[in-house]
C-alpha cells in the first residue's frame, strides 16, 4: 500500500528519483510523474493500463514556467490563462522539443494546466519540471476525488500519495485549444463553457468521436463503473426493474423504495452535483446493488459536463 501524507518535500524527493505519486488537484486526483522524461511517462501509461494514443496533461505553477516548453502562447490563450488559472481549465499549445513525444502521444500540441489546489501548487512550485498527471484511476474507470480512492485503485503500484484537500470541483478540467483562429472545446469539464464564451466570444464544441479520438477523454465508455448503469427516467426504471436490487443516483430527489439512493445535490446546485458525481458513483459501484439507475441533470452550467460523464458511464461496449 502507498504511504499517504501531506509532505511535499517527500513527494519531491520521490519524483526527483523518477517515481510516480498520487497527486491531489481540485478537479480529480492525478497519477503524477516527471513529464519531461519519457521513461517516467511510460510508467504512467503502464500503471494506468492506458493506451499510448491517449496523451497526458502537464501541470505547472505559472505561465512563465509553461512558456519554456511551448513555441508560443496565443493571445486568446493568455487571456484564458490570466482569467481562469489556477483552475479547472486545460489549454493545448504547440510544444517545443523539450517535451517527449510520449507525453503528447506524438501530437504537435501539449496540454497544460495550473491546478487551483494548495498542496498541488505547493509541490509544483518546488519542482523544476512540469508534472504529467492523468486521473489516478485504471483506464476507463471512475476518477478519484480523494486520497483513499487512489489508494484503493493504485495503492499497490505507487509508493506515495500526497494528501490534500478533497477535489472541490469533482470532474476533470475543461480542455480548450485553437485551430485556424478558432477556439475549440475538446472536453467539457469543471469550467463552464459559458464562462469561456463570456470572456472570449464564440467557441466551438467538438462532437464526440470514439473511433480515433482527438481527445480520448471523449471515448464513449469512459468513466464507467463495473456495475451496469442505466440512464433514463428514474421512476419508470424503478418500476421496470422492480425485481432487482436497485441503486439510484438522482439529481435532487431521494428514493425511499430502493436499496441505496444517493442524491447529487438536494438544493439543485450544479457545483455540488459535480463534486459528488464520481464519489457517489463509486459508492454505488461498491455496494451490493445489482443495477444502478440514474438520470440526466438539467443541461445548464456544469450540467452539460455532468451529463457527458453520466452518458458515457452508462454505455457498455
Ligand atoms: O482535471 C484534469 O484534467 C485531471 C487532473 C489530474 O488534472 N487530469 C485528467 O487527465 O483528466 P486525463 O489523462 O484523464 O485526461 C487527459 C485528456 C486526454 O484524454 C485527452 O483527451 C486530452 O486530455 N489531451 C491531453 N493532451 C492532449 C493533446 N496534446 N491533444 C489533444 N488532447 C489532449
Ligand atoms: Mg481520466
Amino acid at each position: 500500500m502507498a504511504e499517504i501524507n501531506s509532505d511535499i518535500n517527500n513527494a519531491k524527493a520521490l519524483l526527483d528519483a523518477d517515481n510516480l505519486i498520487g497527486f491531489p488537484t481540485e478537479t480529480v486526483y492525478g497519477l503524477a510523474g516527471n513529464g519531461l522524461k519519457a521513461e517516467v511517462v511510460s510508467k504512467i501509461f503502464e500503471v494506468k493500463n492506458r493506451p499510448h494514443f491517449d496523451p497526458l496533461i502537464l501541470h505547472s505553477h505559472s505561465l512563465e514556467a509553461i512558456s519554456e516548453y511551448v513555441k508560443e502562447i496565443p493571445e486568446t490563450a493568455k487571456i484564458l490563462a490570466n482569467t481562469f488559472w489556477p483552475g479547472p481549465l486545460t489549454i493545448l499549445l504547440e510544444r517545443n522539443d523539450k517535451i517527449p513525444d510520449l507525453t503528447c502521444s506524438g501530437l504537435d500540441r501539449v496540454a497544460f494546466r495550473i491546478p487551483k489546489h494548495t498542496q498541488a501548487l505547493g509541490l509544483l512550485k518546488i519542482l523544476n519540471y512540469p508534472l504529467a498527471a492523468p486521473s489516478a484511476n485504471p483506464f476507463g474507470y471512475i476518477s478519484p476525488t480523494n486520497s483513499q480512492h487512489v489508494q484503493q485503485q493504485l495503492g499497490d503500484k505507487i509508493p506515495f500519495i500526497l494528501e490534500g484537500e478533497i477535489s472541490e470541483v469533482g470532474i476533470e478540467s475543461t480542455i480548450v485549444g485553437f485551430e485556424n483562429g478558432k477556439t475549440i472545446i475538446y472536453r467539457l469539464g469543471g469550467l463552464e463553457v459559458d464562462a469561456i464564451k463570456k470572456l472570449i466570444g464564440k467557441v466551438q464544441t467538438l462532437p464526440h468521436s470514439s473511433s480515433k479520438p482527438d481527445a480520448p477523454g471523449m471515448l464513449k465508455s469512459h468513466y464507467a463503473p463495473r456495475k451496469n448503469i442505466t440512464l433514463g427516467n428514474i421512476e419508470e426504471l424503478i418500476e421496470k426493474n422492480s425485481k432487482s436490487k436497485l441503486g439510484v443516483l438522482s439529481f435532487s430527489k431521494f428514493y425511499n423504495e430502493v436499496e441505496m439512493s444517493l442524491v447529487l445535490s438536494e438544493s439543485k446546485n450544479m457545483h455540488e452535483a459535480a463534486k459528488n458525481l464520481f464519489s457517489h458513483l463509486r459508492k454505488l459501484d461498491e455496494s451490493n446493488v445489482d443495477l444502478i439507475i440514474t438520470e440526466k441533470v438539467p443541461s445548464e452550467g456544469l450540467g452539460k459536463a455532468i451529463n457527458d460523464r453520466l452518458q458515457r458511464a452508462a454505455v457498455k461496449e
Side-chain angles (χ1 to χ4, degrees), residues 8 79 82 181 202 213 220 240 248 269 290 317:
I8 56 171
I79 296 170
N82 289 329
K202 217 173 144 212
K220 245 183 170 173
K240 206 171 127 199
V248 169
N269 176 309
D290 304 323
E317 278 178 316

Side-chain angles (χ1 to χ4, degrees), residues 48 50 135 137 143 172 222:
K48 256 192 82 104
R50 179 180 176 116
S135 46
N137 49 287
S143 302
E172 298 86 348
H222 218 75

